């Protein structure tokens, strides 16, 4: 019974270590994937901004969306400029599907996507954008080319989690073998487990936030390229910079709809984007809360384990261990 007790205590704590590590790994992957999809959606919005603005401009003069002449031509023209979109659909809250660039049917959950939301099905990514008060633009694109980057991050997180589990387990085994007083040794095992929970929870939150910050740079580059392309088209028409009006209103297309961007300024040569520090602080708080949620959930598992150990007679088991 003495040997069984020692093995039981050590093995169960290591199993807990493994379970918590796996939970942290899963949460980290989910956080990263959510970030990546959000950035892709924002990037697609940047590339469809002209299309959305043109449609709204036409409707501003009394056109009906249901009878909008040349809509499918506009949609197909926009597809030529967007890398991550293969088809587009316009959906009305009342009338359902109004326009499409493809004969494929959309599932109910895709048609029901709220503005600003997205869904990934296999390799196909669906995004919904607000077009008017009662209609949405839905984009459809195959994004398997992004999976390589995602898998690299997953692999990185798996390696970190696996190495962390090995190190924490090894330290637990060493501590357990070195300390003769098993009551004290058991308390140290729990303390080590709590320390590992704090470390892995903090790392998952910090890593996801850092990756999110880095990915914003790509979106900002896409915004600058889109603006420069639009300005180039205006210049090709023979219009000089001093004769261009409404530039500030044009730039508001991006800052009003992409919360990560606070402002866009033109210094005479380049367009400079200012990231919203307020929004990024909000995002940082969200990641902190998610890390704390993981910490709380892991603590609940640990508490349930302690209750279980009390139920199987921890006191008697400890006496056997210390005989």
């Amino acid at each position: 019974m003495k040997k069984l007790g020692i093995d039981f205590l050590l093995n169960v704590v290591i199993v807990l270590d493994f379970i918590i590590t796996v939970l942290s790994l899963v949460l980290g992957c989910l956080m990263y994937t959510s970030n990546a999809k959000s950035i892709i959606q924002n990037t697609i919005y940047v590339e469809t901004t002209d299309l959305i603005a043109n449609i709204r401009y036409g409707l501003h003069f009394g056109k009906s969306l249901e009878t909008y002449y040349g809509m499918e031509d506009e949609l197909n023209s926009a597809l030529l400029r967007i890398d991550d979109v293969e088809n587009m659909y316009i959906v009305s809250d009342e009338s359902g599907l109004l326009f499409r660039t493809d004969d494929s049917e959309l599932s109910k959950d895709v048609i029901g996507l709220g503005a600003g939301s997205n869904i990934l099905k296999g390799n196909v990514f669906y995004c919904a954008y607000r077009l008017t008060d009662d209609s949405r633009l839905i984009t459809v694109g195959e994004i398997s080319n992004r999976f390589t980057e995602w898998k690299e991050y997953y692999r990185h997180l798996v390696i970190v989690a696996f190495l962390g589990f090995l190190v924490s387990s090894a330290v637990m085994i060493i501590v357990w073998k070195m300390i003769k007083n098993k009551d004290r040794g058991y308390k140290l095992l729990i303390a080590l487990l709590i320390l590992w929970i704090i470390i892995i929870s903090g790392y998952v939150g910090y890593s996801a936030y850092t990756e999110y910050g880095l990915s914003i740079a790509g979106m900002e580059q896409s915004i600058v390229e889109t603006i420069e392309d639009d300005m180039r088209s205006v210049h090709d028409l023979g219009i000089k910079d001093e004769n261009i009006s409404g530039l500030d209103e044009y730039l508001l297309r991006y800052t009003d709809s992409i919360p990560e961007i606070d402002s866009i300024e033109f210094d005479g040569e380049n367009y400079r984007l200012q990231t919203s520090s307020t929004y990024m602080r909000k995002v940082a708080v969200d990641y902190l809360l998610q890390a704390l949620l993981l910490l709380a959930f892991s603590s609940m598992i640990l508490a349930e384990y302690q209750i279980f150990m009390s139920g199987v007679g921890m006191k008697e088991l400890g006496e056997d261990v210390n005989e």
Side-chain angles (χ1 to χ4, degrees):
M1 182 62 183
K2 180 180 178 180
K3 183 64 176 177
L4 178 62
I6 293 176
D7 291 340
F8 181 79
L9 290 174
L10 178 60
N11 291 339
V12 170
V13 173
I14 290 178
V15 168
L16 279 175
D17 188 0
F18 177 77
I19 292 173
I20 291 171
T21 300
V22 171
L23 286 175
S24 301
L25 173 63
V26 172
L27 178 62
C29 292
L30 290 176
M31 290 170 66
Y32 176 81
T33 304
S34 176
N35 290 342
K37 291 192 294 183
S38 176
I39 291 297
I40 294 175
Q41 178 157 9
N42 283 344
T43 301
I44 293 175
Y45 173 77
V46 171
E47 297 172 327
T48 57
T49 294
D50 284 346
L51 169 67
I52 293 174
N54 290 339
I55 294 174
R56 289 175 178 171
Y57 182 78
L59 296 174
H60 181 72
F61 290 96
K63 284 186 178 182
S64 168
L65 181 62
E66 287 76 5
T67 59
Y68 196 107
Y69 179 76
M71 178 68 79
E72 292 182 351
D73 290 338
E74 284 198 42
L75 295 178
N76 282 301
S77 177
L79 286 178
L80 300 176
R81 305 191 302 269
I82 307 174
D83 294 333
D84 290 322
V85 175
E86 298 174 354
N87 291 297
M88 291 184 184
Y89 301 81
I90 292 181
V91 176
S92 169
D93 294 341
E94 296 182 357
S95 306
L97 187 60
L98 297 178
F99 301 98
R100 62 175 71 188
T101 60
D102 183 76
D103 293 331
S104 300
E105 295 295 329
L106 296 179
S107 60
K108 291 183 179 180
D109 55 343
V110 172
I111 292 179
L113 277 175
S117 58
N118 60 69
I119 186 173
L120 179 63
K121 292 190 172 185
N123 297 338
V124 183
F125 189 53
Y126 302 86
C127 298
Y129 304 93
R130 177 62 61 194
L131 193 57
T132 65
D133 290 339
D134 60 353
S135 65
R136 287 156 288 122
L137 171 68
I138 296 179
T139 63
V140 184
E142 202 269 348
I143 60 169
S144 58
N145 60 313
R146 304 293 186 107
F147 291 171
T148 299
E149 179 181 345
W150 295 9
K151 289 178 180 177
E152 288 180 359
Y153 180 80
Y154 298 156
R155 190 179 300 112
H156 163 74
L157 203 58
V158 167
I159 291 173
V160 170
F162 179 70
L163 291 178
F165 168 71
L166 289 181
V167 170
S168 59
S169 297
V171 172
M172 289 177 183
I173 293 172
I174 292 172
V175 168
W176 187 253
K177 298 297 183 182
M178 290 180 59
I179 297 181
K180 294 181 180 181
N181 187 324
K182 296 308 178 184
D183 285 337
R184 183 186 175 194
Y186 173 73
K187 292 177 181 177
L188 284 174
L189 291 186
I190 298 300
L192 288 170
L193 182 57
I194 293 173
L195 178 61
W196 170 238
I197 291 173
I198 294 173
I199 291 174
I200 189 63
S201 299
Y203 180 81
V204 165
Y206 175 78
S207 179
Y209 178 75
T210 300
E211 289 292 329
Y212 177 71
L214 292 174
S215 63
I216 290 178
M219 181 184 66
E220 292 179 343
Q221 181 62 30
S222 179
I223 293 175
V224 171
E225 291 175 355
T226 300
I227 294 173
E228 290 177 344
D229 286 343
D230 288 344
M231 291 299 103
R232 194 176 299 111
S233 298
V234 173
H235 293 155
D236 290 343
L237 295 175
I239 302 175
K240 296 182 179 180
D241 289 337
E242 56 267 23
N243 296 324
I244 298 176
S245 62
L247 181 60
D248 291 339
E249 289 77 7
Y250 163 77
L251 296 178
L252 286 175
R253 296 179 178 183
Y254 305 103
T255 56
D256 286 351
S257 301
I258 301 176
E260 289 88 348
I261 306 302
D262 183 56
S263 63
I264 304 175
E265 298 179 355
F266 182 60
D267 62 6
E269 295 183 0
N270 299 303
Y271 291 92
R272 300 186 182 279
L273 278 65
Q274 180 66 43
T275 303
S276 173
S277 57
T278 301
Y279 182 78
M280 293 306 293
R281 280 196 298 269
K282 176 181 176 298
V283 172
V285 171
D286 288 341
Y287 282 115
L288 177 60
L289 291 176
Q290 291 185 60
L292 292 176
L293 181 62
L294 173 60
L295 181 60
F297 188 67
S298 300
S299 299
M300 289 176 60
I301 294 177
L302 188 56
E304 289 291 336
Y305 160 72
Q306 293 286 57
I307 294 173
F308 167 75
M309 292 302 295
S310 297
V312 299
M314 182 64 197
K315 182 177 180 181
E316 290 79 2
L317 187 60
E319 291 173 352
D320 286 339
V321 169
N322 289 302
E323 287 179 355

